[in-house]
Amino acid sequence: MYLPNFERFFSPLQRQVLLTTAKIAHDLNLRAFAVGGIVRDAIVRQNQKTPTFPKDLDLVFDGSEQAGIKVAIALHELFPASKLQIHEKFQTAALIWQDDTQDFEMDMATARREIYAYAGANPQVMATTLEEDLWRRDFTVNALAIELDPQLGIKGEVIDRFNGLADLANKQVRAIRVGSFEEDPRRLFRAVRFAVRLDLAIAPETYREIIKTTSSGLHDAIGGARLRSELLYTLGEPRAGEMFELLQKLGALRCIHPELKLPADLANSFKHQWRRSQYWLKLLNRLELKSYAPMQLGLELLLSYLPHQIATQLDLGLTPEQKTRQQKLADLTTYLPDLTKVGLKKSDITQSLQKFDTQSLILAGVKSEPAQRQIIWHYLSQWQLVKSPLTGADLQQLGYATGKQMGEILQRLKFAMIDREIHTKEEAISYLHIQE
């Protein structure tokens, strides 16, 4: 298949960078290829009138050891505004453009063969040809390549060793070879992301192999930074709920822990929970002038469906604060129903909820029943922001001594404001006289 107008799928800077990359590779007697997602997506989006420009550009170079790194270093000299990262062990490099007008990353890999010492391990790599490099990839639709040419932009037709074009046309995700899921459990998550994101079905033989692999228990509770990255990538997807629903159906959530069971109708419930948490985060970030990381909160939301004693022991890089929050969330959800009792004052609810950090409350809020959620929302967006109409200086002028007693008085005034028993400084002073 020849892909006409391949260059239209890139921004002007990206086109310039790709042509320059091809020239550098040619001068170094190397071959340069666009591989994987950018080729696949260009095929899928051929008929789009205004295609969106990619955020990730995957290139592969063959012809020598460290080929990708050599080209990346030379390219960085010509585009110093980019940020260069080198991963010598894996013979790869990345150039990152990130400013007000550009936001994309170019991954530049040496064509390589990978050897896994054990399931889930980081691979040992050695340089090879593009043809062999494609064999190590996960799915047929990700093993498509186009050779870059410094004059023409692209050279020849799409390279398709494994019938990826047919699978794209038939809307299927198919593993390139048997055993790839045993070799690398990350592919379980990648298969689901591609299937849901691109509206593809998982090919029957690939589906059966995934079930066989997850049922074996080989990857149960594997933990580690690579699993954490896959979870965060998936949480960042617009259709994360559907993805986690399919992951659960395939048994892939056993990679987190065999006891993890997410709610029924997960695509719908998780989607609403996730959207709700994003809305709450945006508002609270504005109110508090501090930033909460959505993906990190999403990971905590996911793990909250496990007993906290298990969640806090998993090797997923949780901070001590995040581990404590799992315990807090478990405590909070047990007595949230008591806060919906008729006749309970807003100040009583505030006194109960102010023991918890904002993120714990968001997690409880997005998972709780509507009445409980409304209470948490009112506390976060209104009641916790109320202040006493009198300050410490005001109380000193009224003859009150500084110390613990003053703090208690300010707290009482705040609660009276929340319950609308007072509204002004004058009413606060009268309230204190009555209290005495």
Side-chain angles (χ1 to χ4, degrees):
M1 174 184 181
Y2 180 71
L3 189 59
N5 300 321
F6 179 67
E7 294 83 357
R8 71 183 283 265
F9 296 98
F10 305 98
S11 70
L13 175 60
Q14 289 173 338
R15 289 196 294 271
Q16 182 186 2
V17 170
L18 287 171
L19 286 172
T20 307
T21 299
K23 184 177 187 309
I24 291 172
H26 180 269
D27 293 344
L28 293 174
N29 200 29
L30 302 171
R31 293 194 299 168
F33 301 88
V35 179
I38 55 176
V39 180
R40 180 199 66 224
D41 292 346
I43 294 168
V44 170
R45 298 169 182 165
Q46 283 185 86
N47 297 324
Q48 285 187 356
K49 292 183 179 179
T50 54
T52 54
F53 300 138
K55 295 286 188 181
D56 298 293
L57 285 70
D58 293 331
L59 305 183
V60 170
F61 305 86
D62 75 1
S64 78
E65 294 282 343
Q66 308 290 339
I69 294 176
K70 293 175 182 177
V71 177
I73 291 172
L75 188 63
H76 182 248
E77 291 179 356
L78 298 176
F79 295 91
S82 64
K83 179 182 177 182
L84 174 64
Q85 295 178 345
I86 294 176
H87 308 285
E88 191 167 349
K89 180 179 178 181
F90 300 110
Q91 301 201 35
T92 64
L95 286 175
I96 302 168
W97 281 263
Q98 197 167 37
D99 56 33
D100 294 338
T101 59
Q102 301 290 335
D103 182 14
F104 69 94
E105 180 173 334
M106 179 180 287
D107 291 314
M108 310 179 73
T110 305
R112 65 191 192 272
R113 183 167 65 251
E114 296 181 342
I115 299 175
Y116 292 82
Y118 56 87
N122 285 326
Q124 299 174 356
V125 305
M126 54 199 73
T128 184
T129 62
L130 171 82
E131 289 70 25
E132 192 169 357
D133 180 274
L134 294 176
W135 172 253
R136 73 174 177 82
R137 293 177 180 269
D138 45 16
F139 308 110
T140 63
V141 296
N142 292 335
L144 304 170
I146 292 180
E147 186 169 359
L148 301 180
D149 183 276
Q151 302 297 327
L152 304 175
I154 62 174
K155 182 178 180 180
E157 297 185 349
V158 174
I159 300 168
D160 178 19
R161 291 192 62 200
F162 309 105
N163 296 318
L165 292 172
D167 283 335
L168 267 184
N170 295 325
K171 300 187 77 64
Q172 288 195 323
V173 175
R174 187 188 312 276
I176 288 176
R177 62 190 182 282
V178 174
S180 64
F181 299 106
E182 292 183 10
E183 183 180 85
D184 188 350
R186 293 185 308 167
R187 290 172 182 152
L188 299 168
F189 293 83
R190 288 170 60 81
V192 167
R193 283 206 301 275
F194 291 129
V196 174
R197 185 195 303 159
L198 301 173
D199 291 315
L200 308 178
I202 297 177
E205 68 271 27
T206 299
Y207 194 101
R208 288 192 295 270
E209 185 181 352
I210 291 175
I211 294 293
K212 180 182 176 181
T213 303
T214 57
S215 299
S216 72
L218 175 65
H219 299 312
D220 282 4
I222 54 172
R226 301 178 88 199
L227 174 61
R228 176 187 172 88
S229 294
E230 292 303 319
L231 294 174
L232 294 178
Y233 288 147
T234 308
L235 286 164
E237 293 277 348
R239 297 167 68 181
E242 294 170 70
M243 292 177 183
F244 278 103
E245 186 171 55
L246 182 53
L247 285 166
Q248 177 155 276
K249 185 177 180 181
L250 293 168
L253 294 185
R254 293 178 59 139
C255 294
I256 304 172
H257 196 276
E259 292 187 26
L260 179 59
K261 297 291 185 293
L262 298 175
D265 189 24
L266 180 65
N268 186 53
S269 61
F270 192 88
K271 177 175 68 177
H272 288 306
Q273 289 179 7
W274 190 229
R275 285 179 177 173
R276 194 178 299 131
S277 68
Q278 301 309 291
Y279 176 78
W280 286 26
L281 278 174
K282 287 178 182 177
L283 177 60
L284 294 169
N285 285 343
R286 288 200 301 269
L287 292 174
E288 300 188 19
L289 300 178
K290 62 163 61 168
S291 179
Y292 295 110
M295 299 305 106
Q296 299 294 337
L297 194 69
L299 180 59
E300 293 181 46
L301 176 62
L302 185 65
L303 294 180
S304 71
Y305 289 101
L306 278 169
H308 67 86
Q309 299 91 336
I310 293 176
T312 54
Q313 296 303 312
L314 297 178
D315 178 22
L316 288 172
L318 294 183
T319 65
E321 181 184 7
Q322 289 175 312
K323 292 180 178 180
T324 300
R325 191 151 44 240
Q326 290 293 321
Q327 169 70 66
K328 286 182 178 179
L329 181 58
D331 294 340
L332 179 55
T333 52
T334 57
Y335 73 80
L336 259 179
D338 292 338
L339 300 184
T340 61
K341 290 180 179 178
V342 177
L344 200 62
K345 287 185 175 182
K346 296 174 183 177
S347 59
D348 294 331
I349 298 172
T350 299
Q351 195 165 4
S352 296
L353 295 183
Q354 67 185 9
K355 304 170 188 174
F356 298 92
D357 64 283
T358 301
Q359 286 162 292
S360 294
L361 291 166
I362 291 176
L363 289 170
V366 299
K367 292 180 66 177
S368 61
E369 297 297 322
Q372 300 167 15
R373 182 162 62 248
Q374 187 176 40
I375 284 174
I376 294 176
W377 175 249
H378 284 317
Y379 167 76
L380 288 173
S381 62
Q382 298 175 32
W383 303 337
Q384 73 163 342
L385 305 177
V386 173
K387 295 181 180 180
S388 164
L390 297 180
T391 65
D394 294 331
L395 293 179
Q396 281 185 294
Q397 289 183 351
L398 293 170
Y400 292 94
T402 58
K404 182 179 178 181
Q405 182 188 17
M406 181 176 289
E408 292 172 349
I409 293 171
L410 291 172
Q411 185 86 306
R412 288 208 314 270
L413 291 172
K414 172 182 174 176
F415 289 157
M417 284 283 289
I418 291 172
D419 291 332
R420 297 185 177 277
E421 296 174 357
I422 59 174
H423 302 83
T424 64
K425 282 190 173 185
E426 292 73 17
E427 290 177 355
I429 294 171
S430 299
Y431 178 84
L432 288 179
H433 291 329
I434 293 171
Q435 292 286 310
E436 292 173 354

